[in-house]
Amino acid sequence: MRRLLFFVSLVALPLFSTACAHVASYERGSLAHPTMTTSDLASPSEAHVRAVQEGAVGGGGAGGGGCGCN
Amino acid sequence: MRLQLISPRLLGAALGVFVIATTVARAGAQPSGSGAAQAPPSADATTSPSPSLLTEHFSASYGQYADTDHVFVETPSISGTVSSPTAGWSVGGEYLVDVVSAASVDIVSTASRRWNEVRQEGNVVASYKPRAFGVQASGSVSDEPDYLSWSAGGAVTQDLLDKNLTWTLGYAHGHDVAGRTGTTFSVFSRVVDRNAFNAALTLVLSPTTVGSLIGDAILENGDPSKPYRYIPLFAPGMSVPRGASVGLVNALRVSARPLEQLPLSRQRYALSARVAHRFHGATLRLDERLYADSWAMAATTTDAELLFDAGRRVELGPHARLHAQTAVSFWQRAYTFGLGFDYPALRTGDRELGPLVNLTGGWTLRIGLGGDANQSSWVLGFDLNATSTQYLDDLYVTSRVSVLGGATLETDL
């Protein structure tokens, strides 16, 4: 359990330490760029190769984004 | 190593389906139909076409994989999504084929011939998010001669704080049936059921930075042991060097070779963070995944990609990925039998369950082929990645180099 908490902290702290700024819709031009999605950009074949070559799984799914669109 | 060229027949078929799909979609997007595709009536509807309320995205891709263990894979795929940004719904699907040809050392060590196999996979996803709250449903099926897998799942999501924070909760159930080629599942099969839970938070960190925190828990029940994988056994005290050849292993091992046997359940946990930052004319994407499971495997995966805007139509950049993992608790390079010639209860020859390090480097190139008004309406993309794998405690091989190349054609209508 202690090791799990350590791993969680290792990943979460750098992300949340930057704080969540309130960004208005009109400020999101850069966030609307196609490469700014929080989805995994791997192609189907690349994702499949990773699944075979790596013993670990997970981490692919995240919803939402910053662009403010649907 | 032999890097095969693109199969003209498969690529031609994929592109043919792609062209047909885009033509049909374009016809369907004209304001003459009914339902959601119909444009709202307007005073000048008879003199100028009304704008479509739908957007369509289609892509066709072709990937090719080759490695120094004599495994070759061709993967043509097509996908399409139709969505209504104003109504908030989206429906999409994907179909791909894996054509595998292998003569790896694992096959050679069992005195088997090169085998060829075709796997087909299809998946669909539908989502509805009219306002801040949304739902999603998805399903997939994968079929090959000795393996059938399906999964179905759903997710809910909600935007908070003026879309500065989005949370997502998801669940999927998977069902895998493994058999032997030429034998029906009713005669021989092994079943694995999978329950996958997913939770994610996406945060807008600044006008140029967005980040996600993703947690996954995957609970597997069933026997995932491969029915073709035989494990060499050695006498107690026998020393077998790392990377021992097939000939040396055959000279040292005893005659008995039991089948692989893995534990009948596995709980897998992953925690990932993803950050994307937009510079002036470039995007940096960073991923970190930490993984642990009930078989005592721990892993870390770091992924970084930098994409430059090289002009108005060209985007390119390098990609790097480092994956390192420990072995599962029952991993042994050379399994030995006991005093009563009994086998170790758990045994495996799956190198991806042993300690290894993967280092990947590659490049991405995307070219906008659309008109001046919208260059990204047609996009041609190329990816090339090479991976070096170091197996730290294995028989037969100590390293592998693989190359994955891909080409993708995308269009937004």
Side-chain angles (χ1 to χ4, degrees), chain B residues 40-78:
Chain B
S42 61
D44 59 349
T46 55
T47 56
S48 64
S50 301
S52 171
L53 293 178
L54 298 181
T55 62
E56 294 96 11
H57 178 87
F58 294 96
S59 73
S61 70
Y62 180 87
Q64 189 152 46
Y65 171 92
D67 70 30
T68 52
D69 200 20
H70 309 290
V71 176
F72 305 97
V73 184
E74 294 177 284
T75 308
S77 67
I78 54 171

Side-chain angles (χ1 to χ4, degrees), chain A residues 28 35 37-39 55 59 63 70, chain B residues 85 162 202 216 268 274 283 285:
Chain A
R28 299 187 181 186
T35 56
T37 176
T38 53
S39 302
N70 261 316
Chain B
D162 288 336
T202 299
D216 290 279
R268 319 176 78 170
R274 178 173 299 144
T283 299
R285 295 172 58 86

Side-chain angles (χ1 to χ4, degrees), chain B residues 23-317:
Chain B
T23 305
V24 170
R26 187 173 288 152
Q30 298 303 315
S32 56
S34 60
Q38 192 168 11
S42 61
D44 59 349
T46 55
T47 56
S48 64
S50 301
S52 171
L53 293 178
L54 298 181
T55 62
E56 294 96 11
H57 178 87
F58 294 96
S59 73
S61 70
Y62 180 87
Q64 189 152 46
Y65 171 92
D67 70 30
T68 52
D69 200 20
H70 309 290
V71 176
F72 305 97
V73 184
E74 294 177 284
T75 308
S77 67
I78 54 171
S79 67
T81 304
V82 179
S83 59
S84 170
T86 51
W89 61 262
S90 172
V91 178
E94 181 181 72
Y95 172 73
L96 68 81
V97 179
D98 273 337
V99 183
V100 184
S101 171
S104 67
V105 66
D106 303 298
I107 296 170
V108 173
S109 69
T110 56
S112 299
R113 290 181 298 176
R114 167 183 288 275
W115 58 266
N116 300 285
E117 193 167 82
V118 175
R119 181 181 76 95
Q120 300 181 78
E121 180 182 324
N123 62 64
V124 292
V125 59
S127 65
Y128 181 59
K129 190 177 176 218
R131 295 180 185 278
F133 189 79
V135 294
Q136 183 186 78
S138 60
S140 69
V141 177
S142 172
D143 178 59
E144 54 196 290
D146 55 358
Y147 206 96
L148 176 65
S149 172
W150 63 260
S151 71
V156 292
T157 184
Q158 186 178 20
D159 297 327
L160 300 171
L161 306 174
D162 288 336
K163 296 190 176 181
N164 281 275
L165 175 67
T166 302
W167 61 260
T168 304
L169 290 175
Y171 168 76
H173 179 78
H175 183 80
D176 293 5
V177 183
R180 291 184 72 103
T181 299
T183 304
T184 62
F185 287 146
S186 60
V187 175
F188 174 84
S189 65
R190 288 175 173 158
V191 173
V192 175
D193 282 298
R194 186 177 300 106
N195 293 295
F197 303 87
N198 169 268
L201 274 180
T202 299
L203 304 97
V204 175
L205 301 172
S206 79
T208 53
T209 309
V210 62
S212 281
L213 194 62
I214 307 152
D216 290 279
I218 302 166
L219 314 179
E220 297 174 347
N221 286 291
D223 189 354
S225 311
K226 297 291 183 294
Y228 305 110
R229 187 171 283 149
Y230 292 92
I231 310 301
L233 283 180
F234 302 90
M238 178 71 72
S239 174
V240 185
R242 171 176 172 249
S245 66
V246 173
L248 180 59
V249 169
N250 284 338
L252 296 178
R253 70 176 178 83
V254 298
S255 58
R257 275 197 304 176
L259 281 166
E260 177 182 67
Q261 184 58 60
L262 300 173
L264 302 182
S265 71
R266 189 178 191 183
Q267 292 84 49
R268 319 176 78 170
Y269 306 99
L271 184 68
S272 309
R274 178 173 299 144
V275 174
H277 180 76
R278 183 72 185 161
F279 296 97
H280 181 70
T283 299
L284 174 66
R285 295 172 58 86
L286 297 171
D287 285 23
E288 172 61 31
R289 175 181 64 189
L290 298 174
Y291 169 91
D293 68 28
S294 60
W295 292 3
M297 177 184 286
T300 172
T301 309
T302 306
D303 196 291
E305 186 168 25
L306 185 60
L307 293 165
F308 296 97
D309 303 338
R312 294 173 60 205
R313 293 178 177 272
V314 179
E315 195 172 75
L316 78 166

